[in-house]
Amino acid sequence: MKGLDCRGKAAKTAIFGTLLLLFLGKANAENSDTDGKDTHTRVITTPSTTSEVSVGIGKKFVRRLYESCDLNISYLDVPAARAVMMAEKSQSDGELARIPMAVKENAPLLRLDVAIADARLVPLFRNKESAEAFAGLTGQRIGFLNGYRMIAAVLPEDSTQVATSDTFQLVSLLNRQRIDVALTLEWDALAAQHHNPELVIGEPLLESPLYHWVHESRKGDIPCLSDSLEEMRSGGEFQRMIQEGIKSEWPE
């Protein structure tokens, strides 16, 4: 009888231990699901035209920005128009960088307290002669980057519009005289000019602060990211990255 009691107690102990493990396993799984909503990794949409100097610089800088706040980034590379649209539809934790007019007012996106820099949209001409001949955009053959909302604001209705995926294609079209002028971000224009000094950059057609955008569900990240951005800007880190990118990221 005593042996049976011992075996009975052992069985009960084993059953209790099994139930306890099952309970703890369920609790850990629940906690893991909860923690999964607040992990240290953020999915950020970015234009998939990663060959663009400006996009490459921006990705490096924003990654460094998040790392300074002990956060990781997983970039979701999609076409430019879809990138901001996905962020607006809550399909990511934020968008790499956009000017305010490029983001819908009712979108669940919050910009950092500090702008990354001033974005300038500029015309790029094949040489000095073409810059003088095609200074006015009206009626010209204009090449531009597809998917960027801000460009639509400056395109003349009577122009022949040619959309491309990156500045390299724009420069190729310029060199082959398929377009009269190319519209691109100043950083990409400077990189193209560094590679080919004959190119001429015109006065900015549009200028606006450029912000990194965070989904409202991640608004707790904003104070640290904003403070870190302020420090990195005042220390000249972003400007140094721009200069390095202009000199080194244009493909041969």
Side-chain angles (χ1 to χ4, degrees), residues 136-142 154-161 180:
L137 298 184
T138 302
Q140 309 301 337
R141 297 171 300 171
I142 302 177
V154 300
L155 283 174
E157 293 182 1
D158 65 345
S159 63
T160 299
Q161 302 175 9
D180 304 315

Side-chain angles (χ1 to χ4, degrees), residues 18-242:
T18 301
L19 292 174
L20 181 61
L21 288 173
L22 289 172
F23 173 79
L24 290 175
K26 182 179 180 181
N28 286 335
E30 291 174 350
N31 288 336
S32 177
D33 290 341
T34 301
D35 291 342
K37 298 177 183 177
D38 189 29
T39 64
H40 288 287
T41 298
R42 304 290 185 259
V43 176
I44 305 297
T45 53
T46 177
S48 55
T49 53
T50 50
S51 55
E52 283 295 292
V53 171
S54 58
V55 174
I57 294 171
K59 291 176 73 171
K60 290 179 181 177
F61 181 75
V62 171
R63 183 179 296 281
R64 195 170 299 177
L65 179 64
Y66 273 74
E67 287 174 351
S68 69
C69 292
D70 296 324
L71 294 169
N72 301 317
I73 275 187
S74 175
Y75 281 121
L76 182 58
D77 297 323
V78 293
R82 193 185 305 169
V84 68
M85 192 179 300
M86 290 179 69
E88 290 171 342
K89 292 183 177 180
S90 304
Q91 295 175 351
S92 70
D93 294 311
E95 161 63 16
L96 181 68
R98 300 280 170 158
I99 64 175
M101 69 172 290
V103 178
K104 293 181 179 178
E105 290 186 9
N106 61 347
L109 296 174
L110 304 172
R111 65 192 189 193
L112 298 190
D113 301 333
V114 183
I116 295 175
D118 286 331
R120 298 181 182 90
L121 182 67
V122 298
L124 184 65
F125 303 95
R126 185 165 58 91
N127 50 38
K128 184 178 179 181
E129 290 73 22
S130 65
E132 294 173 351
F134 306 119
L137 298 184
T138 302
Q140 309 301 337
R141 297 171 300 171
I142 302 177
F144 60 93
L145 299 180
N146 192 30
Y148 288 90
R149 293 174 180 172
M150 65 177 178
I151 294 178
V154 300
L155 283 174
E157 293 182 1
D158 65 345
S159 63
T160 299
Q161 302 175 9
V162 181
T164 69
S165 62
D166 57 44
T167 302
F168 313 125
Q169 290 185 18
L170 289 177
V171 172
S172 176
L173 291 173
L174 275 177
N175 290 333
R176 290 183 286 137
Q177 300 184 44
R178 297 292 184 86
I179 58 175
D180 304 315
V181 57
L183 301 184
T184 188
L185 288 177
E186 185 177 44
W187 303 314
D188 297 307
L190 288 169
Q193 189 183 57
H194 181 79
H195 181 74
N196 177 10
E198 286 193 7
L199 295 174
V200 174
I201 301 173
E203 292 297 318
L205 302 173
L206 186 151
E207 186 171 351
S208 176
L210 182 71
Y211 290 93
H212 173 64
W213 298 79
V214 174
H215 190 269
E216 60 185 10
S217 65
R218 300 296 192 185
K219 63 182 180 181
D221 296 342
I222 292 179
C224 180
L225 292 174
S226 296
D227 289 345
S228 296
L229 176 54
E230 179 66 43
E231 292 179 7
M232 294 167 77
R233 274 202 59 176
S234 60
E237 185 168 358
F238 185 65
Q239 192 59 37
R240 286 194 295 271
M241 294 179 71
I242 291 174

